[in-house]
Amino acid sequence: MKKIKFLSFFLGTVLIAGTGCLKDKGFENGEYGINDANNSPAGLGFNKGVNYKVNIGLDLSSSSQTISNQATIMLMSATPAQSDISVTLEVDPTIIDNYNNTYGTSIETLDPALYSISSLTVVIPRGAKQVDLPIVIPSTAGLDANSTYGIGVRIASADAGYVLSSNMRELLISIGLKNRWDGVYELKGYHNRTPYTFPYDVEMNMETYGPSDVIFFWPDVDDYGHPIGVAPGSVSWYGTAVQPVVSFDLATDLVTNVYNVGAGGPPITMFTGAGSGVSRYDASTKTIYVSWNYNNNPLRAFFDTLTFLRAR
């Protein structure tokens, strides 16, 4: 993975806090990061629990598929585990109900007969800092392409001496069939904010985020986010606070919305000002054209062209 610098001073009206040395209070009240292992108990939480929900796109197939590296439990400590840590999890459908009630969504609980988890007790081995909970989907042939399914997972308990994060203890795994915009693309574009106006040219995954939505996943940073050109041939990013999602009209392939799902990040909207063109998907060339900006500022706009390279 390439090393990409993080610009923490960019948003003007939005402040993004960096990762630091945290006591238990900070760990529990949402100041995510590595706690001080010398002065407080090590914490346990889902690696992606900061966002609470992760979105998975699966192929329509009668063959088995495994969801990996999503329900990952991590030890929030400056040092690896000094001995094996046993962690017990539980599947809880109320996590899905609570999310639907809060956000007005209609995620369906995935029938337990349609997936399998080998064990709800996992072990972070001595010398490691995390463990994955793989979920096997034997077949997606019976799933509806227009529906979104969910599995709610909670960390129920762990060996004595470890704090369970109240704000990273639950995870909603949202599952849908890959939509037609899903894939690996070459992303070319530029940002119109001086001095970050240099072009960028990177490989980008556009991952299914719903029946008509895709989200930017940047392999170079191994996370959801978007590049910025900061010098000739040099890129950076605004961190995971800026995670654009692009929505399409199913009938016309026109972009209908661009929005942000990054925790604590600025509002993002589709940009229609100077230089934007028509945001759309061209099926004949498998190319996405999309312009968007943040904080409703025309001088904070991105102009992206994504050319399909291969299936993800």
Side-chain angles (χ1 to χ4, degrees):
M1 184 179 75
K2 297 179 182 177
K3 188 173 184 179
I4 307 296
K5 293 182 178 179
F6 168 63
L7 298 180
S8 61
F9 47 83
F10 69 104
L11 293 177
T13 59
V14 178
L15 177 63
I16 306 299
T19 299
C21 184
L22 304 178
K23 308 294 192 234
D24 281 341
K25 179 181 178 182
F27 174 70
E28 287 298 320
N29 70 10
E31 297 171 352
Y32 309 107
I34 299 172
N35 71 338
D36 185 345
N38 294 321
N39 293 291
S40 59
L44 291 170
F46 284 109
N47 186 34
K48 297 190 177 183
V50 172
N51 295 324
Y52 184 72
K53 179 168 78 79
V54 295
N55 298 274
I56 308 298
L58 298 177
D59 295 319
L60 177 59
S61 173
S62 58
S63 299
S64 178
Q65 299 175 70
T66 301
I67 299 171
S68 301
N69 302 317
Q70 300 299 323
T72 302
I73 302 94
M74 66 176 178
L75 173 65
M76 298 176 189
S77 169
T79 58
Q82 302 302 300
S83 59
D84 290 354
I85 304 171
S86 180
V87 183
T88 300
L89 302 104
E90 60 185 8
V91 175
D92 184 358
T94 65
I95 293 173
I96 303 168
D97 296 336
N98 292 339
Y99 187 90
N100 285 336
N101 292 335
T102 300
Y103 296 100
T105 52
S106 54
I107 299 172
E108 302 176 23
T109 299
L110 185 63
D111 186 338
L114 298 179
Y115 69 91
S116 64
I117 299 172
S118 60
S119 175
L120 286 172
T121 299
V122 296
V123 175
I124 299 177
R126 177 183 177 183
K129 296 185 70 174
Q130 64 183 39
V131 62
D132 185 37
L133 178 72
I135 300 173
V136 177
I137 312 292
S139 171
T140 58
L143 300 186
D144 183 347
N146 295 313
S147 297
T148 302
Y149 304 88
I151 303 171
V153 186
R154 175 184 292 107
I155 300 174
S157 63
D159 286 342
Y162 292 93
V163 177
L164 302 183
S165 169
S166 61
N167 47 28
M168 297 173 69
R169 187 175 178 175
E170 297 180 346
L171 187 69
L172 170 54
I173 301 169
S174 178
I175 300 169
L177 298 180
K178 289 182 181 178
N179 59 43
R180 64 175 174 269
W181 306 282
D182 192 291
V184 181
Y185 291 76
E186 180 183 12
L187 167 62
K188 292 183 177 181
Y190 70 96
H191 184 20
N192 69 353
R193 178 188 175 184
T194 302
Y196 311 119
T197 57
F198 297 93
Y200 42 80
D201 184 347
V202 302
E203 189 170 284
M204 181 67 66
N205 292 354
M206 300 300 284
E207 298 187 356
T208 294
Y209 201 75
S212 60
D213 292 8
V214 285
I215 186 172
F216 288 80
F217 182 92
W218 191 10
D220 285 347
V221 298
D222 195 29
D223 214 330
Y224 298 99
H226 193 281
I228 310 160
V230 293
S234 180
V235 294
S236 183
W237 70 322
Y238 288 162
T240 56
V242 175
Q243 299 181 12
V245 177
V246 183
S247 301
F248 294 92
D249 184 287
L250 288 167
T252 66
D253 279 335
L254 291 174
V255 175
T256 59
N257 190 23
V258 185
Y259 60 97
N260 189 19
V261 295
I268 285 176
T269 53
M270 184 167 62
F271 182 62
T272 58
S276 61
V278 178
S279 291
R280 69 196 192 281
Y281 173 69
D282 185 337
S284 64
T285 61
K286 294 187 176 181
T287 303
I288 298 171
Y289 303 93
V290 59
S291 300
W292 55 277
N293 64 338
Y294 59 84
N295 284 337
N296 295 310
N297 188 336
L299 298 180
R300 300 292 185 269
F302 288 80
F303 305 88
D304 290 343
T305 299
L306 297 114
T307 305
F308 183 84
L309 296 176
R310 60 186 181 275
R312 183 172 62 85

